[in-house]
Amino acid sequence: MRENEFLVSHKIDMPTELFKAFNTKEAKLYKSNSLIYRQGEKADNFYFLKKGNVEVFVMSPEGAEKGLTNYKAGEVFGEASFFDGYPRISTAKTITECEIITITRKNIEHFFKEDPSLALKLIELLSKKVLRLSREIDHISFMSAEKRIAEYLLSRSQGINGTIMCTQDDIGNTVGVSRITVSRTLGKFVKDNWIRTGYKKIEIINTKGLMEFLDD
């Protein structure tokens, strides 16, 4: 797998045993743009995303948001503060309608008591996640602004093509570029017939074109 493909298809497969254990719990339905947890809160649990797309971001004292990463179905999130005992350093909200399973400390203790091997499975999963995030950070640091914007769009889309609800400011704050750069880049993508833009939304109409641009 090439490096850009790793970035776009970044989901780590969950061990079957953990997947079955987590799915013994009932999922809660969240509407799009719903808060899941807030920066600074005590982390009494973490989450398994059964369906949908979740964004994790940090917020400055002035209220500016900086996107960190997005999660898709089959991934766990919010576990770092749960395990280290410190307040949450980020905020998580749904991008689409989501089904989310909450995992508490009591749940984890029960899972491990029933099957001690699950502890190693969870460590394996979280270790792979840390490695993935490290590789993403290393790669993005050398990526052009246009490619960072393309990667953002692909990571937020659902399925082959899809509509993303966001503003140019959202994109700029997340990938670390100016609004002018975002506007110019989106204009180029429209001209290339990869996307269509509307009021606070972007529709991807040629995922293959964007992915080939990332691989170029």
Side-chain angles (χ1 to χ4, degrees):
M1 182 179 288
R2 285 171 291 181
E3 198 168 25
N4 280 335
E5 291 172 335
F6 178 87
L7 241 180
V8 175
S9 303
H10 69 282
K11 187 173 78 66
I12 298 170
D13 289 334
M14 175 174 290
T16 302
E17 298 87 346
L18 279 177
F19 179 83
K20 289 180 178 179
F22 290 166
N23 275 277
T24 60
K25 295 204 62 189
E26 185 176 353
K28 179 181 177 180
L29 181 64
Y30 287 76
K31 294 181 179 180
S32 62
N33 202 36
S34 297
L35 280 175
I36 304 166
Y37 59 77
R38 294 178 182 272
Q39 187 173 322
E41 289 180 346
K42 182 181 178 183
D44 292 323
N45 44 57
F46 67 100
Y47 303 89
F48 171 62
L49 182 56
K50 188 172 182 178
K51 180 181 178 181
N53 197 323
V54 166
E55 179 181 27
V56 175
F57 60 91
V58 294
M59 185 172 291
S60 72
E62 294 76 26
E65 295 181 5
K66 175 67 175 178
L68 297 178
T69 191
N70 297 321
Y71 291 103
K72 295 185 178 182
E75 296 190 281
V76 296
F77 64 97
E79 78 287 348
S81 295
F82 172 81
F83 285 111
D84 69 22
Y86 289 98
R88 296 198 184 277
I89 61 171
S90 61
T91 297
K93 69 177 180 181
T94 60
I95 298 172
T96 63
E97 187 176 272
C98 293
E99 292 181 17
I100 300 174
I101 295 174
T102 301
I103 309 296
T104 66
R105 194 168 301 278
K106 185 176 180 180
N107 297 146
I108 287 292
E109 291 172 352
H110 172 74
F111 294 152
F112 291 173
K113 183 178 180 181
E114 291 292 311
D115 184 357
S117 70
L118 289 180
L120 288 177
K121 295 292 184 182
L122 184 58
I123 291 172
E124 175 188 343
L125 177 69
L126 299 182
S127 296
K128 288 180 178 178
K129 183 176 176 181
V130 170
L131 178 60
R132 184 205 78 195
L133 291 174
S134 297
R135 287 177 176 173
E136 287 188 359
I137 291 170
D138 288 344
H139 184 61
I140 288 174
S141 64
F142 294 102
M143 189 183 289
S144 70
E146 289 185 350
K147 289 191 174 183
R148 293 205 302 273
I149 293 170
E151 197 280 329
Y152 172 91
L153 297 177
L154 288 168
S155 70
R156 293 284 298 266
S157 66
Q158 295 289 305
I160 300 301
N161 295 325
T163 300
I164 303 161
M165 305 306 297
C166 66
T167 66
Q168 293 187 9
D169 287 333
D170 291 335
I171 299 173
N173 290 335
T174 300
V175 305
V177 300
S178 70
R179 191 178 186 281
I180 293 174
T181 299
V182 174
S183 179
R184 183 177 65 245
T185 301
L186 293 181
K188 177 182 181 300
F189 292 172
V190 168
K191 186 177 179 180
D192 290 333
N193 292 315
W194 297 339
I195 65 171
R196 281 194 292 260
T197 58
Y199 179 67
K200 292 187 177 180
K201 68 179 182 181
I202 297 170
E203 181 184 359
I204 296 180
I205 57 177
N206 188 350
T207 296
K208 184 179 178 181
L210 281 174
M211 294 185 71
E212 288 176 348
F213 172 68
L214 276 177
D215 280 337
D216 185 11

